[in-house]
DNA sequence: CTGAAAGCGCTTACAG
DNA sequence: CTGAAAGCGCTTACAG
């Protein structure tokens, strides 16, 4: 790599000291306007830019934040990253990306890196495995090192940190009420994530919207099994509407309609939890709950940036809920 | 942030010099085994890890690579990033992610950052706008700064750099020949990217596979317009098979079949250029050309890493083509 | 207003 | 085998 011009070289060319050059470029009031101009002119001429590594060493920081993502092929997380990157640029922070692939082991490795001084702060959504096993020691080690930390999306974890997520319970309550307001009586729920935190919250929202004796649910973590159960649920109860808590159940609902020639929305209305990218392109398109991924990412980054700047009380943590939006496509046309 | 233990503090505790501690931890043969053990023991006890910023300043590097991605919501690029991250970890490089959002201006800003010393090397797929306007000055400035550079995916650019991409022409030639081998005569092509590099290459592949007088093509950059054209193309020529060069045309083909009750694959076979995530979940599922995104990302990172290490001749550049695979789903069942 | 000096946390050529 | 010194490229308290 070409060696860039340094302060020292600049100072030699200008016949002033390194300190003077540094102060001039940093707009210090100590320096005379005349000198400042001379310095800046030559710096511009040589396209001088301070070596960020040196500046960071001096200031005892890294200028970077670490983002841990469970699965980047999930467009929700891709959107989150996009929001983070945009907000980070505004705060002059570089985003270092780590992908855990939903693996606890990988997540531990990453946290080990994170505590060794590569970043000024961390944004993390824990992996599925971590959630299931509820093993959070590696996250507490971030806390021990006093690395500013914001947890996003999967936020039902008992860790002292800022959190940014969505109101999962409310979104399903609202969706249920939406169907009721349209006169639907037999409303079912399908879930492949009934065993994890967010899944439980979404189911709770549905339950709160329904009378106890009028609920219809199909749950399984096995794709084929769930498919059979959903089909049975629909046909045996002559469902008018179906809520799906996750990607797999949403896709299965779409698939079942296609294979069994169920008319959607005529015979069955569907609301899924699925990315717009996919929901829009299914035939028929499936109405979905939009999570505003980029906004979640931006908000999380904003909170982290404030922590890094030290603007916030170190023992008080905020929990920000970014509201979801119901997006109506063909599957909920009345 | 908690202050981590430093070499100096360690040396004080051990009553040896900083140099000795440093050498001991770096397994220098200069140090006696006895001292080395003492040092390592205490370092382990305090969980000492060298400050990467200081190490990097000393070694005149950053330990990071910059990845520029046009659009992270495109699952192809998400997969590429995933491959890059995995390969970067192997080489002890941190990945700093920049998202250009297909914008030339943003790309210029990013390149400006990139030349100011944040990274040791750059992986870039240029934005659509950049490609269209063929404005590459900002990329040449990376070259001027002698920053190791690898261009991935959108590689038909005349810049002295390593490149990693796919054989677009060949993939469409093969797909065309596949249909022919199955006895199809009336094979059409739909494209929304006929005006850009890769689009032209894919069309070329199709043309080479067909006789000049038996080609059927529908092209437009406007969604509605393209939809009309594709439908006409299919019905007026009674097409047996359709190749789609890109996401939009693939989705439109799927949509047209749904709306007009065309039986796929009975009445029409389709091969699309679309991510597996979407192709698999359409009903019927659409056969597609798989680009092996993660492999492209890994290979690009490997090349970059070699450049950074200086293992390669600085005036010779490699161009790696990662072969595509035809993935057969329901839309090409014969 | 300018500059010499110290120092951020390391590594490494050199001396002993 | 160990350590003092120089230095990576900066910033900043201090002296003049």
């Amino acid at each position: 790599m070409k060696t860039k011009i340094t302060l020292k070289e600049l100072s030699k060319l200008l016949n002033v000291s390194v300190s003077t050059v540094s102060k001039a470029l940093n707009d210090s009031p100590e320096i005379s306007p005349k000198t400042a101009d001379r310095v800046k002119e030559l710096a511009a001429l040589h396209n001088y830019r301070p070596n960020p590594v040196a500046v960071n060493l001096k200031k005892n920081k890294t200028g970077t934040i670490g983002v841990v993502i469970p699965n980047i092929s999930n467009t929700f997380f891709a959107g989150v990253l996009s929001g983070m990157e945009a907000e980070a640029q505004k705060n002059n922070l570089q985003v270092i990306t780590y992908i855990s692939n939903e693996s606890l082991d990988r997540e531990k490795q990453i946290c080990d890196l994170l505590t060794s001084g590569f970043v000024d702060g961390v944004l993390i959504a824990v992996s599925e495995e971590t959630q299931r096993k509820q093993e959070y020691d590696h996250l507490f080690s971030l806390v021990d090192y006093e690395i500013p930390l914001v947890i996003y999306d999967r936020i039902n974890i008992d860790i002292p940190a800022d959190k940014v997520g969505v109101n999962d319970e409310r979104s399903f309550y609202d969706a249920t009420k939406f169907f009721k307001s349209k006169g639907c009586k037999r409303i079912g729920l399908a879930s492949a994530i009934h065993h994890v935190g967010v899944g439980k919250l979404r189911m709770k929202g549905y339950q709160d919207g329904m009378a106890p004796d009028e609920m219809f649910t199909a749950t399984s973590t096995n794709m084929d099994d769930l498919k059979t159960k959903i089909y049975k649920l629909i046909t045996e109860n002559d469902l008018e509407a179906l809520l799906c808590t996750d990607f797999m159940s949403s896709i299965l609902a779409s698939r079942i309609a296609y294979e069994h020639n169920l008319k959607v929305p005529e015979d069955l209305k569907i609301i899924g939890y699925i990315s717009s990218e996919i929901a829009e392109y299914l035939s028929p398109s499936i109405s979905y709950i939009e999570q505003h991924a980029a906004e979640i990412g931006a908000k999380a980054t904003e909170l982290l940036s404030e922590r890094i700047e030290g603007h916030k009380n170190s023992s008080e943590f905020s929990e920000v809920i970014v509201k979801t939006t119901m997006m109506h496509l063909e599957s909920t046309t009345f």
Side-chain angles (χ1 to χ4, degrees), chain A residues 32 101 146 191 297:
Chain A
S32 75
N101 284 321
E146 291 171 26
S191 182

Side-chain angles (χ1 to χ4, degrees), chain A residues 9 23 36 41 102 108 110 118 135 139 147 159 178 213 249 257 297 306-307:
Chain A
E9 288 160 340
K23 287 174 192 162
E41 196 176 350
E102 304 283 13
K108 285 181 181 171
I110 292 168
F118 284 107
E135 220 185 294
L139 296 183
I147 297 173
I159 290 183
F178 165 77
D213 57 337
S249 55
E306 287 171 9
R307 280 282 169 212

Side-chain angles (χ1 to χ4, degrees), chain A residues 68-126:
Chain A
V68 186
I69 291 178
N71 168 14
I72 189 67
S73 295
N74 179 330
T75 53
F76 168 70
F77 288 119
V80 170
L81 177 61
S82 183
M84 289 173 172
E85 193 262 354
E87 182 68 23
Q89 291 306 321
K90 284 190 204 160
N91 295 282
N92 289 313
L93 290 166
Q94 314 302 309
V95 173
I96 301 187
T97 308
Y98 300 91
I99 302 173
S100 69
N101 284 321
E102 304 283 13
S103 147
L104 173 57
D105 275 350
R106 184 84 190 91
E107 198 173 285
K108 285 181 181 171
Q109 282 175 29
I110 292 168
C111 285
D112 194 53
L113 274 178
L114 258 16
T115 53
S116 70
F118 284 107
V119 300
D120 292 336
V122 171
L123 296 163
I124 188 170
V126 299

Side-chain angles (χ1 to χ4, degrees), chain A residues 126-178:
Chain A
V126 299
S127 78
E128 242 170 42
E129 191 182 350
T130 307
Q131 257 188 132
R132 207 171 51 238
K133 299 192 176 162
Q134 307 215 14
E135 220 185 294
Y136 302 128
D137 287 357
H138 54 300
L139 296 183
F140 278 104
S141 91
L142 293 173
V143 175
D144 285 343
Y145 272 93
E146 291 171 26
I147 297 173
L149 174 66
V150 177
I151 296 175
Y152 67 92
D153 187 44
R154 299 167 177 181
I155 60 174
N156 48 343
I157 306 177
D158 196 16
I159 290 183
D162 293 316
K163 292 171 191 171
V164 180
V166 301
N167 191 335
D168 282 295
E169 193 176 326
R170 180 62 188 241
S171 64
F172 267 67
Y173 178 81
D174 288 348
T176 307
K177 285 299 184 191
F178 165 77

